Every structure is written in C-alpha cells, then in structure tokens.
Amino acid sequence: MPRVSVIMPVYNGEKFVGEAIESILNQTFSDFELIIIDDASTDGTLEVVRKFPDGRIRIIRNHENIGIARSRNKGLREAQGEYIAVHDSDDISYPERFELQVKFLDNHPEVAAVGSWYVVIDENGEELERVKLWTRDDDIKAVLLKKNQFAHGAMMIRKECLKAVGGYRHIERCEDYDLCLRLAERYKLANLPRFLYKYRRHPGQAVNDELLEFYAQMVREAAEERGKPIRA
C-alpha cells in the first residue's frame, strides 16, 4: 500500500503531460502511486502517458469527457494511499515536494492539508513570477474567504479528510477553491514556506479572469450560506 496517491486528470494535454509525469517520477520520496485519469482526450495524450514504463503508474481512461472535478473523484475512489497529492497535468513539482509534505503531515496530525509557495511559468518553462502564500492556519483562514490561499496542484491532503467533506463538487473552474473552503470549515490547513511547485500559465488554459472571479464569488457566497465559520 503506497503512502501517497497522486491524482492527475488530463484532457488533451500531450504538450505538457510528459514533463509533469517526469517531475513526479523524479521525487526524492518514492512510496507513491500515480493515478492518471485521461478524460477522453482526442490528441496524443494517451500515447505520451503510455511511454513511461513505471509500475507505480495506473491509467484510467474515461470513455466520455466528464470534467476535472468528476475525474478527480474517480481517482480518489481508486486511491490506496493515506495522503492524496494533487497534481495538474501541465505543471511541475520540485523533486523534494512529496518528501517535505509527507514529513509535515506526519509531524502535524491536526493539519488536514498542506500546500506550498509556487512559481508561475509560461508555456516554455520560463519563470514569470514567484507567489508566496500565508503559511499558518489562522492567517490562511483570515483571508481565505476573500482570496484562495492555495495553488491546488501543490496540495497534499489526508484522504480521510478529503472523503469526509465529500470530495470535489462539480463547480466550473472553482472546484478547487470550493474544496479548500469546505476543508477550512472543519480542519486546520497550512502551506510550506518553500517554492515546491511550478504552475504553468499558457494560452491553452483559456482562463477568463472576469469569469473566474464570478465563479469564485459564487463559491464564497455558498460558503457563507452554509453558516460554518472559517476560523482557526
């Protein structure tokens, strides 16, 4: 039984998914399984994924496109590890990421999830900016309703906590923010003050900032309506 289950949904990601997989296989912490959910890609994604001859990789192929939230839940149902490492198919983890996050969760049983600072890169891997986030639970929760304090792909979450809040809900573009708010209502959260993840910004994402903020506001309002305080 692996200690960590890495869940990576991918849709038409042939350009970057190979680099993402390599960054996982090159981790200094090796006791993991990598669950790749191909969400009915129509490009060469599946061929790229199948080129990696590593027994820790499991490939799940969706017969129809079901979206990132449902694909992550599908991976969660298959996961055998104690901890769930989230990873996006176009991003990169630094080699020591899993080792440091596992050590932190082992040493802080009161914390349900831990993320990290991250570096924003472009489609060519060139650095655009460095983003530092709040690291302590009380600081995170003080601003979480105003702005998400996690790069979701950089998070490692206790599987029992992720399942306890119901996994991911199908909320377009903001399913990650929604999950963080629901975790914050019941558990302590943290970020490591280290740059352990590279978040790739590229044209293929087609993210509209105004639309994203609209969905984020819906998520915030839903959290407020639940009436559960987000506090340390």
Side-chain angles (χ1 to χ4, degrees):
M1 298 290 286
R3 295 225 48 212
V4 175
S5 293
V6 188
I7 298 178
M8 180 192 290
V10 56
Y11 174 67
N12 287 350
E14 64 175 342
K15 186 174 182 180
F16 302 117
V17 69
E19 194 172 1
I21 293 171
E22 286 178 356
S23 77
I24 294 171
L25 298 182
N26 289 332
Q27 290 292 305
T28 57
F29 180 89
S30 61
D31 188 12
F32 64 82
E33 62 176 347
L34 171 55
I35 304 172
I36 301 173
I37 305 98
D38 178 39
D39 197 16
S41 295
T42 57
D43 64 356
T45 293
L46 200 57
E47 287 72 22
V48 174
V49 171
R50 285 173 172 165
K51 289 180 180 179
F52 291 88
D54 193 300
R56 294 171 295 181
I57 297 176
R58 285 199 283 156
I59 303 171
I60 300 173
R61 169 77 169 167
N62 293 341
H63 297 296
E64 61 179 1
N65 186 271
I66 62 175
I68 191 168
R70 293 189 178 101
S71 292
R72 281 175 173 156
N73 284 336
K74 197 170 185 177
L76 179 60
R77 289 192 295 270
E78 294 290 328
Q80 301 178 65
E82 174 186 1
Y83 301 142
I84 302 297
V86 186
H87 206 294
D88 290 337
S89 63
D90 47 3
D91 296 342
I92 299 169
S93 284
Y94 284 85
E96 66 273 24
R97 176 195 159 187
F98 291 177
E99 180 180 357
L100 293 175
Q101 290 183 323
V102 167
K103 182 178 180 180
F104 181 88
L105 290 176
D106 284 349
N107 292 333
H108 297 83
E110 75 283 2
V111 175
V114 60
S116 74
W117 294 347
Y118 65 98
V119 178
V120 181
I121 59 174
D122 64 16
E123 59 184 325
N124 299 313
E126 296 297 322
E127 182 176 322
L128 298 176
E129 63 176 314
R130 293 186 165 230
V131 180
K132 294 183 177 181
L133 302 163
W134 290 106
T135 59
R136 290 160 33 98
D137 179 71
D138 53 351
D139 292 326
I140 290 171
K141 289 176 179 175
V143 298
L144 190 59
L145 264 178
K146 299 177 183 178
K147 185 177 181 181
N148 194 0
Q149 286 301 297
F150 293 94
H152 196 64
M155 294 185 75
M156 184 173 287
I157 309 169
R158 296 183 191 276
K159 183 172 64 177
E160 61 179 358
C161 298
L162 184 49
K163 287 188 172 182
V165 299
Y168 293 90
R169 298 195 298 176
H170 187 62
I171 298 176
E172 188 173 357
R173 297 180 185 270
C174 284
E175 77 289 334
D176 53 349
Y177 189 15
D178 172 68
L179 176 67
C180 290
L181 287 170
R182 287 184 288 119
L183 285 169
E185 290 168 355
R186 298 179 60 172
Y187 305 109
K188 290 185 178 295
L189 308 174
N191 276 308
L192 296 182
R194 295 275 299 271
F195 292 101
L196 298 176
Y197 194 73
K198 292 184 179 181
Y199 167 76
R200 194 185 303 271
R201 186 179 295 160
H202 57 91
Q205 291 170 312
V207 175
N208 182 300
D209 289 339
E210 292 184 359
L211 185 60
L212 184 61
E213 177 53 33
F214 170 75
Y215 285 119
Q217 183 58 34
M218 290 177 60
V219 167
R220 286 191 286 266
E221 291 173 358
E224 292 173 340
E225 287 176 4
R226 287 195 294 272
K228 296 180 180 180
I230 296 177
R231 59 170 180 251

